[in-house]
Amino acid sequence: YPLRRQRQMCIRDRKETSQSEEVKAPEKEIVTAQIAGVDIMDLEDATKELWKRGIYAESGMGCTGPIVLVNTDKKLQAEEVLKEVGLLS
């Protein structure tokens, strides 16, 4: 029971943090490169973090789990950003 309660509190706190910060998406572009390895609970945060850095991204579900989609030319840069902020292993 204590672990479940702790997880619920973490999820609640994460949602409050995510919703309190409005981030405007950069200009939309074609996104075909997939970045896997982002936790399902962090998809929205990952997308917003990339937007803050001027990288247009979308989130979705791939065949093997959650993915972040970015422009092919910006995939390496996006992976570095996500690693830097701890959203990608």
Side-chain angles (χ1 to χ4, degrees):
Y1 173 76
L3 290 177
R4 183 173 61 196
R5 179 70 179 140
Q6 181 180 5
R7 178 157 171 73
Q8 289 171 342
M9 290 172 62
C10 288
I11 291 169
R12 183 202 66 210
D13 292 345
R14 187 181 309 180
K15 286 181 180 176
E16 288 174 4
T17 304
S18 296
Q19 292 173 355
S20 65
E21 185 178 7
E22 281 298 317
V23 179
K24 186 174 165 97
E27 186 175 330
K28 192 169 186 168
E29 55 190 19
I30 296 171
V31 290
T32 55
Q34 298 181 13
I35 300 173
V38 176
D39 187 89
I40 186 77
M41 300 299 291
D42 295 327
L43 269 181
E44 184 178 344
D45 292 339
T47 303
K48 285 184 176 182
E49 190 62 41
L50 293 172
W51 288 359
K52 280 193 247 178
R53 311 279 182 107
I55 300 171
Y56 180 77
E58 296 178 7
S59 62
M61 289 300 289
C63 295
T64 58
I67 57 171
V68 176
L69 294 162
V70 295
N71 185 285
T72 306
D73 295 336
K74 297 179 180 174
K75 182 179 180 185
L76 293 176
Q77 181 186 3
E79 287 175 333
E80 289 303 314
V81 168
L82 296 176
K83 286 177 185 175
E84 179 185 312
V85 296
L87 295 173
L88 184 65
S89 7

